[in-house]
PDB file of all heavy atoms in Angstrom:
ATOM      1  N   ALA A 591      -1.127 -25.531 -39.394  1.00 91.00           N
ATOM      2  CA  ALA A 591       0.305 -25.171 -39.362  1.00 91.00           C
ATOM      3  C   ALA A 591       1.197 -26.343 -39.709  1.00 91.00           C
ATOM      4  O   ALA A 591       2.375 -26.116 -40.128  1.00 91.00           O
ATOM      5  CB  ALA A 591       0.691 -24.565 -38.008  1.00 91.00           C
ATOM      6  N   LEU A 592       0.750 -27.565 -39.522  1.00 91.00           N
ATOM      7  CA  LEU A 592       1.565 -28.771 -39.748  1.00 91.00           C
ATOM      8  C   LEU A 592       1.448 -29.216 -41.279  1.00 91.00           C
ATOM      9  O   LEU A 592       2.253 -30.086 -41.611  1.00 91.00           O
ATOM     10  CB  LEU A 592       1.076 -29.873 -38.918  1.00 91.00           C
ATOM     11  CG  LEU A 592       1.421 -29.795 -37.399  1.00 91.00           C
ATOM     12  CD1 LEU A 592       0.692 -30.989 -36.652  1.00 91.00           C
ATOM     13  CD2 LEU A 592       2.875 -29.809 -37.177  1.00 91.00           C
ATOM     14  N   VAL A 593       0.588 -28.641 -42.065  1.00 91.00           N
ATOM     15  CA  VAL A 593       0.529 -29.030 -43.485  1.00 91.00           C
ATOM     16  C   VAL A 593       1.797 -28.647 -44.251  1.00 91.00           C
ATOM     17  O   VAL A 593       2.258 -27.467 -44.113  1.00 91.00           O
ATOM     18  CB  VAL A 593      -0.681 -28.405 -44.123  1.00 91.00           C
ATOM     19  CG1 VAL A 593      -0.808 -28.799 -45.595  1.00 91.00           C
ATOM     20  CG2 VAL A 593      -1.956 -28.857 -43.407  1.00 91.00           C
ATOM     21  N   ASN A 594       2.368 -29.547 -44.968  1.00 90.00           N
ATOM     22  CA  ASN A 594       3.498 -29.136 -45.791  1.00 90.00           C
ATOM     23  C   ASN A 594       3.401 -30.035 -47.124  1.00 90.00           C
ATOM     24  O   ASN A 594       2.418 -30.780 -47.364  1.00 90.00           O
ATOM     25  CB  ASN A 594       4.818 -29.495 -45.167  1.00 90.00           C
ATOM     26  CG  ASN A 594       4.995 -30.867 -44.625  1.00 90.00           C
ATOM     27  OD1 ASN A 594       4.406 -31.819 -45.189  1.00 90.00           O
ATOM     28  ND2 ASN A 594       5.816 -31.110 -43.630  1.00 90.00           N
ATOM     29  N   SER A 595       4.346 -29.865 -47.950  1.00 89.00           N
ATOM     30  CA  SER A 595       4.288 -30.552 -49.287  1.00 89.00           C
ATOM     31  C   SER A 595       4.220 -32.066 -49.238  1.00 89.00           C
ATOM     32  O   SER A 595       3.728 -32.729 -50.176  1.00 89.00           O
ATOM     33  CB  SER A 595       5.454 -30.096 -50.245  1.00 89.00           C
ATOM     34  OG  SER A 595       6.670 -30.401 -49.526  1.00 89.00           O
ATOM     35  N   SER A 596       4.814 -32.674 -48.145  1.00 90.00           N
ATOM     36  CA  SER A 596       4.858 -34.120 -48.067  1.00 90.00           C
ATOM     37  C   SER A 596       3.588 -34.694 -47.516  1.00 90.00           C
ATOM     38  O   SER A 596       3.313 -35.911 -47.805  1.00 90.00           O
ATOM     39  CB  SER A 596       6.064 -34.532 -47.231  1.00 90.00           C
ATOM     40  OG  SER A 596       5.889 -34.030 -45.922  1.00 90.00           O
ATOM     41  N   ASN A 597       2.795 -33.991 -46.743  1.00 91.00           N
ATOM     42  CA  ASN A 597       1.617 -34.571 -46.150  1.00 91.00           C
ATOM     43  C   ASN A 597       0.332 -33.838 -46.506  1.00 91.00           C
ATOM     44  O   ASN A 597      -0.719 -34.035 -45.924  1.00 91.00           O
ATOM     45  CB  ASN A 597       1.715 -34.591 -44.581  1.00 91.00           C
ATOM     46  CG  ASN A 597       1.799 -33.127 -44.037  1.00 91.00           C
ATOM     47  OD1 ASN A 597       1.421 -32.209 -44.687  1.00 91.00           O
ATOM     48  ND2 ASN A 597       2.300 -33.046 -42.821  1.00 91.00           N
ATOM     49  N   VAL A 598       0.383 -33.051 -47.583  1.00 92.00           N
ATOM     50  CA  VAL A 598      -0.819 -32.182 -47.890  1.00 92.00           C
ATOM     51  C   VAL A 598      -1.963 -33.029 -48.320  1.00 92.00           C
ATOM     52  O   VAL A 598      -3.101 -32.666 -47.953  1.00 92.00           O
ATOM     53  CB  VAL A 598      -0.417 -31.232 -49.025  1.00 92.00           C
ATOM     54  CG1 VAL A 598      -0.043 -31.939 -50.335  1.00 92.00           C
ATOM     55  CG2 VAL A 598      -1.535 -30.261 -49.312  1.00 92.00           C
ATOM     56  N   ARG A 599      -1.793 -34.174 -48.953  1.00 92.00           N
ATOM     57  CA  ARG A 599      -2.931 -34.982 -49.347  1.00 92.00           C
ATOM     58  C   ARG A 599      -3.581 -35.591 -48.178  1.00 92.00           C
ATOM     59  O   ARG A 599      -4.849 -35.485 -48.020  1.00 92.00           O
ATOM     60  CB  ARG A 599      -2.472 -36.123 -50.321  1.00 92.00           C
ATOM     61  CG  ARG A 599      -2.002 -35.648 -51.691  1.00 92.00           C
ATOM     62  CD  ARG A 599      -1.622 -36.835 -52.540  1.00 92.00           C
ATOM     63  NE  ARG A 599      -1.100 -36.456 -53.806  1.00 92.00           N
ATOM     64  CZ  ARG A 599      -1.846 -36.323 -54.981  1.00 92.00           C
ATOM     65  NH1 ARG A 599      -3.084 -36.531 -54.812  1.00 92.00           N
ATOM     66  NH2 ARG A 599      -1.309 -36.017 -56.109  1.00 92.00           N
ATOM     67  N   ALA A 600      -2.839 -36.166 -47.266  1.00 92.00           N
ATOM     68  CA  ALA A 600      -3.483 -36.780 -46.083  1.00 92.00           C
ATOM     69  C   ALA A 600      -4.048 -35.759 -45.176  1.00 92.00           C
ATOM     70  O   ALA A 600      -5.160 -35.966 -44.648  1.00 92.00           O
ATOM     71  CB  ALA A 600      -2.416 -37.625 -45.331  1.00 92.00           C
ATOM     72  N   MET A 601      -3.388 -34.715 -44.957  1.00 92.00           N
ATOM     73  CA  MET A 601      -3.908 -33.628 -43.965  1.00 92.00           C
ATOM     74  C   MET A 601      -5.133 -33.014 -44.575  1.00 92.00           C
ATOM     75  O   MET A 601      -6.100 -32.709 -43.796  1.00 92.00           O
ATOM     76  CB  MET A 601      -2.814 -32.651 -43.723  1.00 92.00           C
ATOM     77  CG  MET A 601      -1.722 -33.040 -42.720  1.00 92.00           C
ATOM     78  SD  MET A 601      -2.362 -33.450 -41.111  1.00 92.00           S
ATOM     79  CE  MET A 601      -2.844 -31.833 -40.552  1.00 92.00           C
ATOM     80  N   THR A 602      -5.138 -32.797 -45.833  1.00 92.00           N
ATOM     81  CA  THR A 602      -6.304 -32.094 -46.436  1.00 92.00           C
ATOM     82  C   THR A 602      -7.504 -33.033 -46.362  1.00 92.00           C
ATOM     83  O   THR A 602      -8.622 -32.529 -46.119  1.00 92.00           O
ATOM     84  CB  THR A 602      -5.994 -31.720 -47.941  1.00 92.00           C
ATOM     85  OG1 THR A 602      -4.883 -30.913 -47.959  1.00 92.00           O
ATOM     86  CG2 THR A 602      -7.209 -31.087 -48.514  1.00 92.00           C
ATOM     87  N   GLN A 603      -7.242 -34.308 -46.506  1.00 92.00           N
ATOM     88  CA  GLN A 603      -8.370 -35.262 -46.433  1.00 92.00           C
ATOM     89  C   GLN A 603      -8.999 -35.261 -45.030  1.00 92.00           C
ATOM     90  O   GLN A 603     -10.162 -35.293 -44.826  1.00 92.00           O
ATOM     91  CB  GLN A 603      -7.869 -36.679 -46.815  1.00 92.00           C
ATOM     92  CG  GLN A 603      -9.027 -37.730 -46.863  1.00 92.00           C
ATOM     93  CD  GLN A 603      -8.525 -39.053 -47.435  1.00 92.00           C
ATOM     94  OE1 GLN A 603      -7.383 -39.162 -47.714  1.00 92.00           O
ATOM     95  NE2 GLN A 603      -9.476 -40.013 -47.504  1.00 92.00           N
TER      96      GLN A 603
END
Side-chain angles (χ1 to χ4, degrees):
L592 288 175
V593 179
N594 58 26
S595 56
S596 61
N597 64 20
V598 63
R599 291 180 182 269
M601 283 297 292
T602 302
Q603 187 174 359

